[in-house]
Amino acid sequence: MGLLSDPEYGSVKWVKVLKKINFPLCCLCYVGSILWFFTLAHPEFNNETYFSENALLPGLVRNEFNGEHSANKFFNEFIQELEDKYEDSNEMPVDWLVAKMSQLSLEVYTHNFSLNYPFGQGQTYKGTNVYGILRAPRTSSLEALVVTAPYRSLSNHQKGTAAGIALMLAFAQFARPQNYWAKDIIFLITEHEQLGMQAWLEAYHGLQQETSTFYTSLGSFWQTGFDFGKPPQIFEWLMTDHSKSLDPGVLKGRSGSIQAAINLEFHTPKFKYIEVKVEGLNGQLPNLDLVNLAHKLCVLSDIHHSYQNSFTWLRSRNNIDEWVYSIGTMLKMSAAQVTGVPNGNHGLFLPFGIDAITLEGRELNDPAGDPPRAQYLSTRNFYLLGITLERVLRSLNNLLERFHQSYFFYMLAATNRYISIGQYMPSLCLLCGAMLTRALCLWVTIQQDEEIEKRQDEKDKGLKEKKSEEILENTEEKADSEEKEPLIKDVIKPKEDVINTKEDEIKTNEEVVMAKEDEINAKKAAIKAKNDEIETKNGADLNISIVNVGCNYFLVHILGYAANCSPEYFNYIGTTYFDQTPEASIFYGLIALSVFYLFVTPFAFRFPTFEDLSMTNILLLIELATACLAIGMHNFPLGLLIAVLYTPLALLVGVVGDDCRKRSAIVLFLKRILCIILQPLFVVSIALILYSWVLFPEEGVLSKMSRGRDATMQGVMFSVVDSVIYGNWLFQVVTMVIFPTWILFWQILCNRVTY
Amino acid sequence: MLNLRLLLFSVAFLSPILQIKGDDFKEEMFIKPLPPSHLYVYFQFLTLANGEESFEHSHLAPRSLGEIVSRYQVEELHLTLTEGQWKHNTWGYPVLDAAPGAELYAWFAPDVVDVDTQWKKLSSTLSGLFCASLNFIENMNTVSPKMALWPTGAYSKSHQNITSQLRYASLPREIVCTENLTPWKKLLPCESSHGFSSLLNSRMIHNTNYHSIGVHIRRMCSGSNCLDTSLEIKQTVALVYDFKILNTMDWSLRKLFGQGLPGACPLSSSSRIYVDITSNSSYPFKLLPEPNSIMFSHRGGSKTELAVYEINHSNMMNIGAKYEMRNKIFVNIPPPLTFNRYVLGYGKEFGGIVTELSNNYWAPIDVVLLENAPWWLPIQLSTLRINGEAESKLIMSQYYSPGRSRQKPYHLELLLKLPPKSTTTVTIDFEFVFLKWQEYPPDANHGFYVGSALLSANLPTAKNYTSLPITGSTFDSIVNASKPWYPIVFRTNGGMVSLPTPDFSMPYNVICLACTVVALAFGPLNNICTKEVVLKIIVVPVSLRQKIFNIFKKKKD
């Protein structure tokens, strides 16, 4: 056995120290991590953004955009068209767009897609995207840029995007006669917001619902060739695969591989400032160079721009003010990333390896809220916007390689400040480090206990053969100390080292060559004795039942997987038997499931011993820490949030002993309360109820609660639907990682064992 | 002026001699509007060399090319350098299609034994001649098409196995520019001083939407009984202009080339400009000046009207067209056979190449599709699907030669019968491979080019067909040249894939270094944590004397 399982090391100094300071150390890590996170917002601790990719050459070209007039014309015509013909319909004016794009000599195509709503009774939604391709001269359509705008009808509760579409058309008109394009430009107008975008991207990359071309053939790489035949009729409903609810249809025209995409959301031609939106699906971010490009070119074009809580016209000399704004920006960015829901159509490009951003025009009384002093900003128009778009696209046109130079993992503290992955990761690592330290400490403790037991046994035995035992131990210890000297130098103080070596020297001096034979004999005996000892120890002292722990662990994760698969069935049951909406049936179903797990899971662990539970605790801590780190690598705010929420619980939860003193009973009760509060569904509900508390402060308590409940229902539903349609993995993470860990915590807190 | 006079003088003296030698030079220009917004201009410069085989002396034919042909025993050679992609769906068919980048294929004489060596030598020599990167043609990007390509010239009947003497390669990454055009112009008898070639100034023609220069050499029968052959060297330029970029629909030579036509090349036996005025009925325009004559042609069910200009030797002229109606809505009727090719998938693991072939004609069309994937894009025959089926009735014949890493490309040829009025989708998947780090090209994140597929078809109709008949070399030959079928070879568009590329930057090196350190540290750490230290019984070596001593000792005991 090595260092971590060596029965001797319980007495080593660092183990003692660790056991003494582990709790304060972990608490320190926790506080340190949070402090670290907030310190990052301070200008001293983050960096100014810069262009890493030299080929972008931003702002070097002379602007030629002159389409302000035509943009206004397109805008008025479009609004007129909508008011005349599409006043009360949600349909997109496909014909009008096709006609306009054809007149601009673009290659125009339409793209039909449909959605079989996964949680309805076979409802199907249909939509149409329109796109026109500007073929770059002298290229064989190998690369493309995408300019896109979502279509929103007049009756839509969201801000319209008519100005964005008008600008796109005007820009297409301007760009078509230009000779310098090295990449095709695809002008795309999508219907049904993100659904249309997702369908278009899937169709562009050949992911089809009919497994006719890509999937089947792709499958030949990994399918083993087994054919299970058709499932029987009963299983048909169970086997229905809802993962392909979106039928992306087929594209009739294509260009090459897409390098970058710009999404335009402009409601009116007169706007105050531009918000650059970056957060994508699952918290993915576009390359920092692209984000910089948008910000820097806005500065060059004299357009006010903002990112979350950072507004370019509010620059203060005061570092503390800056800090506060930056913290706001970081928190808002984190909030946007945690849900994993893209905050614009750009976010769906990112999983396909395409960098994309959204430019959103904001005016006064925007739904997103008015930033300070926005009313004093002068209004910007199509001309400046067109120039910005021209600059951005010509910079992208210069790109020889795909975006790869700059950061893909970063946080933005302001429009021009960033925090790289190397700077923010320590804050998550500290949290995970706290959990791992706790795991190590627990491991050391069970080892130690075994050690104590072993020692006691030895003493009992030792009474009989004290003398021989002493010799044995001496030699053993000597051998051990000899072996350990080079290995655990860091831990043992040099002084001790010196003493040991001195002792050894003396011993070696004492033992003359003539006595060597005796020593060998003694050593042989010692080894024999030691081997026997280990055997007896293995037989009697090890109380950890691998089967018990493993089975429980496996079972709990299966339960998590069951929770992940459950919405479909809850929806089926709720809608057919209880006549509920899908939202309600899934929400109440999940609540029922949670309550069921709450009462059942503590009994899942059969005949737990102290060691079993400790072992489970250790595994659980390691799993949680690893999961947080892994999630944090992808989606830092989500990983951090999980770690921040669950580290306190992880540090407090310990195996509960049988001794029922009053104080410890109260503590245990409080721990259990904390654990229940941290139940994932409960956390979400509390968070959303608090949010509705903030949003609607004027309403009564009950109505606030019901609003919160509705919000939770919607939130859960969205996360389920998003995971099915777009591949958002928040729901999977929560049900398959967080939920099982929570169950394990609960099990540990609810089982009492004797030491 | 003095030069000109001198030249005219020499021409007047030399022309009888040339006629005796029999070298013949013709220049032709073919202009076809491609409504609604493009214009196709095609030049061909024909030199017929009747001289001796070895090309120790040549007259009008370029000696450099002639020497190459005779030295490497090339029977037929086609070289094109192209920028841009011909859009068959909207533009119809070109006279000669070309793959984006550089494309070279040649048949060697039947008595050439080591074709691969000759091929390498040929490509290297041509590389020097045209300043193109043809020297990158190696075995790893060369295939011998079995069905897709057939010689267009006269070929000895006795020799049966023609395809074994054929080599085909394309370099899709090649960028074509002035440095290729200048040596190309040098091969012409009048170079760029007179005749049509004086229009080819690189400032104008490299601003077009599509440009392609080519050299096509083949053997032509000298007499009707074809006992003797002569060498035909055809130099071509194909240009497509975009009216939107020109900013007007009215075109003229001056607008297209920046100058008027300074007369024909004095060495040419015929200089003609053909303007396809078939589209005049739907898109009326007026040609200025009036053409010398108008040719009507009925060919394979389609009518063509050609306005013909005979160009004299010494007058500056400008030919132009004035459109009468503008911004007319145009309904595009696609040609009988259209195709589209694209790369599927995302990520760095798998992908697929799809070739969509649409037969818009009412009869089935037989086509040969040649997929030629480089070695780093392993396509697998097991993943071939025609309309999603692994076993398709449409495949009449199939040839597949798997590639070998760094040695041989993947080569798939399919003879397909496309059903009438249908679209056939040919899908084949590939896996991405890791290259060695030195094999990545500069700007590795740009992506890797996948060359065009070859598609050769025998079209049953001559709709949109502008190619010359196989026996003809000038544009007069298309008049009423009805045939049972019309052979044509298309190049589909290529694709670009991004292979898994390491990050060739400073952080990458740092990561490598850090990983090395971690790996070094892991060993001892792993040892400490997992290994048990066991006491080893040390047997003290006993000397011989001691042993003997011990024996006695024991005996004593």
Side-chain angles (χ1 to χ4, degrees):
Chain A
M1 289 276 189
L3 181 66
L4 282 183
S5 48
D6 193 327
E8 283 298 319
Y9 82 127
S11 53
V12 175
K13 193 112 188 178
W14 68 266
V15 174
K16 287 179 191 154
V17 172
L18 175 74
K19 276 162 77 180
K20 205 180 284 171
I21 63 159
N22 100 78
F23 192 73
L25 182 72
C26 291
C27 292
L28 198 69
C29 281
Y30 186 76
V31 177
S33 141
I34 290 169
L35 281 181
W36 186 295
F37 182 76
F38 287 110
T39 322
L40 286 176
H42 194 272
E44 287 290 323
F45 293 91
N46 51 36
N47 304 86
E48 175 122 26
T49 54
Y50 62 95
F51 285 111
S52 194
E53 173 66 271
N54 288 321
L56 275 173
L57 302 172
L60 278 190
V61 289
R62 213 178 67 216
N63 293 301
E64 290 163 343
F65 181 76
N66 49 9
E68 192 196 359
H69 178 68
S70 54
N72 279 320
K73 210 174 114 213
F74 279 126
F75 180 67
N76 294 333
E77 282 178 24
F78 188 55
I79 293 289
Q80 191 65 45
E81 175 82 10
L82 288 186
E83 280 171 355
D84 287 354
K85 297 183 191 158
Y86 299 89
E87 178 74 63
D88 38 31
S89 86
N90 268 329
E91 272 176 50
M92 185 158 82
V94 173
D95 300 336
W96 187 86
L97 289 168
V98 169
K100 285 292 166 194
M101 282 192 177
S102 312
Q103 278 170 22
L104 303 177
S105 297
L106 303 177
E107 266 186 57
V108 194
Y109 301 97
T110 55
H111 162 229
N112 296 318
F113 60 92
S114 61
L115 173 77
N116 292 313
Y117 189 63
F119 298 105
Q121 283 83 41
Q123 293 114 309
T124 314
Y125 300 93
K126 287 194 187 316
T128 310
N129 296 329
V130 179
Y131 63 104
I133 304 177
L134 188 164
R135 298 278 180 194
R138 293 183 304 286
T139 65
S140 39
S141 290
L142 296 177
E143 296 165 292
L145 304 171
V146 177
V147 180
T148 161
Y151 166 75
R152 286 175 194 156
S153 61
L154 289 177
S155 54
N156 198 315
H157 64 280
Q158 282 177 292
K159 284 195 303 181
T161 51
I165 293 170
L167 177 76
M168 185 200 282
L169 290 173
F171 186 78
Q173 188 176 31
F174 156 76
R176 177 65 182 82
Q178 307 304 329
N179 203 7
Y180 45 67
W181 297 114
K183 296 172 177 133
D184 289 2
I185 305 178
I186 303 175
F187 296 95
L188 167 68
I189 297 159
T190 58
E191 204 179 3
H192 300 317
E193 297 288 322
Q194 300 185 349
L195 208 55
M197 194 73 248
Q198 179 74 12
W200 190 83
L201 281 167
E202 285 188 10
Y204 195 91
H205 292 94
L207 312 184
Q208 315 229 319
Q209 191 198 28
E210 307 296 321
T211 54
S212 57
T213 52
F214 194 56
Y215 270 137
T216 36
S217 44
L218 188 73
S220 57
F221 286 122
W222 52 269
Q223 265 174 7
T224 44
F226 287 119
D227 190 9
F228 293 109
K230 225 181 160 210
Q233 196 65 38
I234 320 153
F235 294 118
E236 200 123 278
W237 173 75
L238 290 171
M239 300 287 273
T240 324
D241 188 9
H242 286 305
S243 62
K244 281 181 228 136
S245 49
L246 182 65
D247 179 6
V250 266
L251 293 190
K252 281 169 233 126
R254 265 166 228 265
S255 178
S257 72
I258 301 171
Q259 308 278 307
I262 307 289
N263 184 35
L264 301 172
E265 288 179 11
F266 288 91
H267 177 47
T268 63
K270 307 276 178 217
F271 64 97
K272 291 279 185 190
Y273 65 102
I274 289 181
E275 165 84 5
V276 181
K277 298 200 279 193
V278 298
E279 296 88 358
L281 191 68
N282 290 327
Q284 215 178 336
L285 297 170
N287 196 290
L288 188 56
D289 268 336
L290 182 62
V291 182
N292 278 347
L293 186 73
H295 283 300
K296 294 264 161 88
L297 290 179
C298 279
V299 174
L300 197 67
S301 314
D302 192 25
I303 289 183
H304 297 296
H305 56 111
S306 69
Y307 174 70
Q308 302 288 20
N309 206 29
S310 163
F311 308 100
T312 43
W313 62 96
L314 298 173
R315 284 271 180 265
S316 100
R317 297 250 172 250
N318 188 345
N319 265 354
I320 298 299
D321 285 357
E322 284 281 286
W323 193 9
V324 172
Y325 271 116
S326 294
I327 287 175
T329 307
M330 274 171 70
L331 287 180
K332 277 190 171 178
M333 181 182 187
S334 303
Q337 276 180 278
V338 160
T339 56
V341 180
N343 55 3
N345 273 355
H346 68 279
L348 297 168
F349 282 93
L350 301 175
F352 291 88
I354 303 161
D355 294 293
I357 49 167
T358 291
L359 303 178
E360 186 197 341
R362 289 201 175 154
E363 53 260 39
L364 287 182
N365 305 322
D366 193 87
D370 274 345
R373 302 223 298 267
Q375 63 273 28
Y376 304 119
L377 299 177
S378 53
T379 322
R380 296 293 188 256
N381 54 16
F382 270 140
Y383 174 67
L384 287 178
L385 196 57
I387 280 187
T388 318
L389 189 62
E390 184 199 350
R391 280 182 166 142
V392 170
L393 284 174
R394 289 198 68 178
S395 278
L396 293 175
N397 189 42
N398 287 337
L399 269 187
L400 187 61
E401 302 179 77
R402 302 175 80 91
F403 277 111
H404 68 285
Q405 284 274 3
S406 198
Y407 293 97
F408 284 98
F409 298 100
Y410 54 87
M411 297 200 77
L412 290 171
T415 53
N416 59 346
R417 314 282 308 179
Y418 79 101
I419 299 149
S420 76
I421 182 167
Q423 288 163 306
Y424 67 62
M425 261 333 236
S427 108
L428 179 59
C429 288
L430 276 176
L431 289 175
C432 297
M435 284 191 258
L436 291 176
T437 314
R438 167 107 180 121
L440 183 64
C441 180
L442 284 176
W443 174 249
V444 169
T445 319
I446 14 177
Q447 290 295 317
Q448 184 91 7
D449 292 344
E450 280 166 18
E451 174 72 8
I452 291 163
E453 281 167 33
K454 196 192 82 188
R455 285 252 166 105
Q456 277 170 352
D457 287 353
E458 274 166 16
K459 268 175 193 169
D460 295 341
K461 270 191 240 166
L463 285 170
K464 292 168 190 169
E465 298 175 274
K466 208 178 176 185
K467 212 178 176 183
S468 59
E469 199 74 18
E470 259 176 28
I471 300 162
L472 187 145
E473 275 191 8
N474 268 343
T475 46
E476 199 182 305
E477 262 176 23
K478 197 196 130 203
D480 277 344
S481 65
E482 268 175 7
E483 285 154 20
K484 264 177 220 158
E485 256 170 37
L487 305 181
I488 45 172
K489 254 182 196 164
D490 302 347
V491 190
I492 300 168
K493 283 182 181 174
K495 254 187 190 175
E496 273 186 357
D497 265 357
V498 175
I499 294 161
N500 277 343
T501 44
K502 267 183 184 170
E503 272 176 8
D504 286 354
E505 273 168 36
I506 294 159
K507 273 179 188 170
T508 44
N509 284 339
E510 277 173 7
E511 283 156 11
V512 284
V513 187
M514 290 296 282
K516 236 173 194 172
E517 273 188 355
D518 293 59
E519 204 191 56
I520 290 164
N521 284 339
K523 266 187 182 172
K524 270 181 189 170
I527 287 159
K528 213 176 181 183
K530 198 180 156 194
N531 282 343
D532 291 349
E533 211 177 76
I534 287 166
E535 270 167 31
T536 51
K537 197 186 96 184
N538 280 343
D541 298 347
L542 256 177
N543 273 327
I544 298 172
S545 157
I546 301 289
V547 177
N548 205 354
V549 173
C551 281
N552 179 54
Y553 217 74
F554 183 66
L555 179 73
V556 164
H557 282 81
I558 289 285
L559 289 178
Y561 180 71
N564 177 46
C565 300
S566 62
E568 204 179 299
Y569 306 107
F570 288 141
N571 173 49
Y572 181 77
I573 295 164
T575 44
T576 42
Y577 299 113
F578 298 99
D579 203 21
Q580 291 286 328
T581 57
E583 286 91 353
S585 40
I586 289 176
F587 180 63
Y588 291 123
L590 285 176
I591 286 183
L593 191 75
S594 307
V595 172
F596 175 70
Y597 282 3
L598 192 72
F599 288 110
V600 169
T601 48
F603 305 107
F605 213 130
R606 300 187 62 212
F607 317 120
T609 62
F610 173 73
E611 280 81 8
D612 285 354
L613 280 184
S614 294
M615 199 63 209
T616 312
N617 201 352
I618 292 164
L619 287 177
L620 155 68
L621 286 167
I622 293 175
E623 188 198 345
L624 188 58
T626 318
C628 284
L629 275 177
I631 295 167
M633 285 299 288
H634 253 83
N635 185 354
F636 173 70
L638 182 60
L640 188 74
L641 182 74
I642 294 171
V644 164
L645 283 180
Y646 285 93
T647 310
L649 185 64
L651 296 183
L652 292 174
V653 166
V655 182
V656 187
D658 234 354
D659 48 343
C660 228
R661 268 177 295 152
K662 198 162 191 193
R663 195 163 151 264
S664 66
I666 291 170
V667 170
L668 179 64
F669 180 70
L670 288 177
K671 280 181 184 174
R672 285 183 185 166
I673 292 287
L674 177 70
C675 193
I676 289 178
I677 286 174
L678 284 175
Q679 205 272 347
L681 190 61
F682 206 74
V683 171
V684 173
S685 312
I686 292 173
L688 285 170
I689 287 169
L690 287 180
Y691 189 59
S692 54
W693 216 277
V694 175
L695 277 189
F696 309 99
E698 70 285 349
E699 289 180 19
V701 176
L702 272 180
S703 87
K704 274 178 203 166
M705 293 291 273
S706 78
R707 270 186 191 280
R709 187 203 57 199
D710 292 347
T712 318
M713 262 187 213
Q714 293 288 340
V716 171
M717 188 67 192
F718 277 141
S719 71
V720 173
V721 171
D722 276 8
S723 76
V724 171
I725 297 177
Y726 302 109
N728 184 338
W729 38 253
L730 181 69
F731 186 69
Q732 268 94 333
V733 164
V734 171
T735 49
M736 286 163 71
V737 181
I738 310 304
F739 198 35
T741 20
W742 178 84
I743 293 175
L744 289 171
F745 277 130
W746 183 242
Q747 279 186 334
I748 292 166
L749 281 180
C750 289
N751 277 304
R752 281 162 184 272
V753 290
T754 45
Y755 279 112
Chain B
M1 203 61 213
L2 189 73
N3 273 347
L4 193 71
R5 257 186 218 164
L6 202 69
L7 199 92
L8 284 177
F9 178 72
S10 57
V11 164
F13 263 81
L14 286 176
S15 43
I17 306 168
L18 292 174
Q19 244 125 59
I20 293 161
K21 281 306 291 180
D23 273 14
D24 183 29
F25 176 68
K26 282 179 183 143
E27 49 185 6
E28 286 184 326
M29 196 202 281
F30 172 68
I31 300 174
K32 185 184 182 188
L34 308 170
S37 60
H38 292 87
L39 180 75
Y40 176 40
V41 182
Y42 174 79
F43 291 83
Q44 68 172 21
F45 302 92
L46 274 171
T47 315
L48 204 64
N50 285 328
E52 71 263 47
E53 280 292 293
S54 64
F55 273 92
E56 275 163 15
H57 301 285
S58 76
H59 301 279
L60 294 179
R63 189 177 156 186
S64 46
L65 269 184
E67 274 185 354
I68 290 172
V69 168
S70 63
R71 179 161 188 152
Y72 300 121
Q73 293 168 282
V74 177
E75 285 289 297
E76 187 172 333
L77 180 145
H78 299 268
L79 166 68
T80 51
L81 297 166
T82 311
E83 196 79 330
Q85 174 67 45
W86 184 274
K87 292 174 180 70
H88 302 82
N89 295 14
T90 48
W91 297 349
Y93 298 147
V95 179
L96 279 172
D97 204 357
E103 186 189 42
L104 174 69
Y105 59 101
W107 278 267
F108 291 89
D111 46 341
V112 176
V113 182
D114 194 357
V115 180
D116 287 325
T117 326
Q118 292 290 78
W119 167 247
K120 180 74 194 124
K121 284 182 186 164
L122 173 72
S123 56
S124 306
T125 317
L126 286 174
S127 159
L129 193 61
F130 291 103
C131 294
S133 324
L134 297 170
N135 51 323
F136 285 114
I137 292 178
E138 280 166 51
N139 281 341
M140 67 172 197
N141 47 21
T142 303
V143 292
S144 303
K146 301 293 172 204
M147 299 180 273
L149 293 174
W150 290 93
T152 53
Y155 213 84
S156 158
K157 213 174 185 180
S158 61
H159 189 65
Q160 291 299 317
N161 194 2
I162 299 172
T163 53
S164 69
Q165 304 301 98
L166 166 66
R167 292 293 178 273
Y168 172 91
S170 70
L171 301 170
R173 206 184 161 115
E174 179 74 11
I175 290 166
V176 182
C177 205
T178 324
E179 79 229 24
N180 308 113
L181 182 69
T182 313
W184 181 92
K185 280 199 284 195
K186 288 256 162 68
L187 300 176
L188 292 169
C190 288
E191 297 202 350
S192 52
S193 52
H194 283 84
F196 293 172
S197 55
S198 62
L199 294 176
L200 300 174
N201 98 51
S202 56
R203 189 173 60 87
M204 300 305 280
I205 75 163
H206 290 137
N207 270 334
T208 51
N209 262 25
Y210 167 91
H211 62 83
S212 167
I213 60 173
V215 176
H216 305 269
I217 301 172
R218 61 172 180 170
R219 297 204 177 270
M220 292 288 284
C221 292
S222 314
S224 55
N225 48 6
C226 209
L227 288 173
D228 201 12
T229 57
S230 54
L231 204 63
E232 182 201 80
I233 299 171
K234 182 159 77 178
Q235 288 180 256
T236 59
V237 177
L239 307 167
V240 174
Y241 288 87
D242 189 343
F243 289 141
K244 276 276 174 181
I245 292 178
L246 287 178
N247 219 359
T248 166
M249 277 191 87
D250 303 329
W251 54 267
S252 69
L253 293 186
R254 208 183 290 273
K255 261 181 204 142
L256 300 180
F257 302 104
Q259 66 174 77
L261 182 64
C265 169
L267 298 174
S268 66
S269 60
S270 129
S271 291
R272 280 180 172 179
I273 295 179
Y274 299 86
V275 182
D276 192 322
I277 51 172
T278 320
S279 66
N280 206 348
S281 52
S282 51
Y283 257 82
F285 59 87
K286 201 165 180 291
L287 278 178
L288 284 171
E290 286 290 320
N292 297 38
S293 61
I294 290 182
M295 282 174 18
F296 294 93
S297 158
H298 288 267
R299 189 189 189 191
S302 74
K303 264 196 270 182
T304 319
E305 277 178 61
L306 292 176
V308 185
Y309 291 89
E310 301 275 355
I311 307 298
N312 301 328
H313 283 239
S314 61
N315 54 344
M316 197 72 167
M317 72 177 299
N318 184 25
I319 296 172
K322 246 188 153 42
Y323 277 82
E324 283 155 20
M325 233 196 295
R326 278 149 217 278
N327 296 329
K328 200 176 156 188
I329 297 299
F330 176 77
V331 183
N332 182 32
I333 302 161
L337 178 66
T338 57
F339 42 86
N340 190 12
R341 190 159 182 258
Y342 48 86
V343 175
L344 282 188
Y346 62 98
K348 307 272 183 187
E349 207 178 355
F350 308 121
I353 304 178
V354 181
T355 314
E356 278 176 8
L357 308 166
S358 300
N359 178 3
N360 306 316
Y361 194 60
W362 52 265
I365 301 179
D366 293 347
V367 297
V368 174
L369 177 71
L370 186 151
E371 294 274 4
N372 167 17
W375 65 262
W376 39 261
L377 204 74
I379 54 171
Q380 300 189 351
L381 192 63
S382 60
T383 63
L384 178 71
R385 298 285 182 278
I386 314 279
N387 288 332
E389 299 166 11
E391 307 269 325
S392 176
K393 281 182 217 148
L394 303 179
I395 303 180
M396 293 155 71
S397 174
Q398 174 177 314
Y399 172 82
Y400 177 69
S401 147
R404 208 173 299 131
S405 183
R406 295 170 183 85
Q407 287 169 25
K408 206 173 122 193
Y410 290 79
H411 171 193
L412 172 71
E413 264 178 277
L414 296 171
L415 175 58
L416 298 168
K417 193 177 208 64
L418 304 180
K421 298 271 177 200
S422 70
T423 299
T424 308
T425 316
V426 180
T427 316
I428 193 153
D429 295 347
F430 55 81
E431 270 176 291
F432 288 118
V433 296
F434 283 106
L435 302 186
K436 293 179 181 164
W437 68 275
Q438 282 171 319
E439 284 166 347
Y440 286 95
D443 305 317
N445 280 293
H446 176 57
F448 287 73
Y449 289 79
V450 182
S452 318
L454 279 184
L455 185 70
S456 76
N458 286 334
L459 298 176
T461 167
K463 193 170 163 278
N464 294 74
Y465 188 78
T466 50
S467 303
L468 307 178
I470 197 163
T471 48
S473 26
T474 53
F475 268 93
D476 336 345
S477 60
I478 69 166
V479 175
N480 300 332
S482 284
K483 290 270 156 50
W485 37 260
Y486 304 88
I488 194 159
V489 182
F490 299 116
R491 278 79 175 172
T492 64
N493 45 333
M496 193 152 78
V497 296
S498 57
L499 295 188
T501 311
D503 178 7
F504 293 108
S505 62
M506 194 271 285
Y508 172 67
N509 298 328
V510 173
I511 290 167
C512 286
L513 197 68
C515 288
T516 315
V517 172
V518 168
L520 286 177
F522 178 77
L525 275 176
N526 187 38
N527 270 343
I528 293 169
C529 294
T530 56
K531 280 195 181 158
E532 185 187 11
V533 186
V534 183
L535 282 179
K536 194 182 170 192
I537 303 156
I538 304 159
V539 183
V540 182
V542 192
S543 68
L544 190 66
R545 198 170 62 105
Q546 190 76 31
K547 271 182 187 168
I548 298 163
F549 193 73
N550 279 353
I551 292 167
F552 285 110
K553 226 181 181 177
K554 272 179 192 167
K555 272 190 177 173
K556 264 183 196 172
D557 290 340

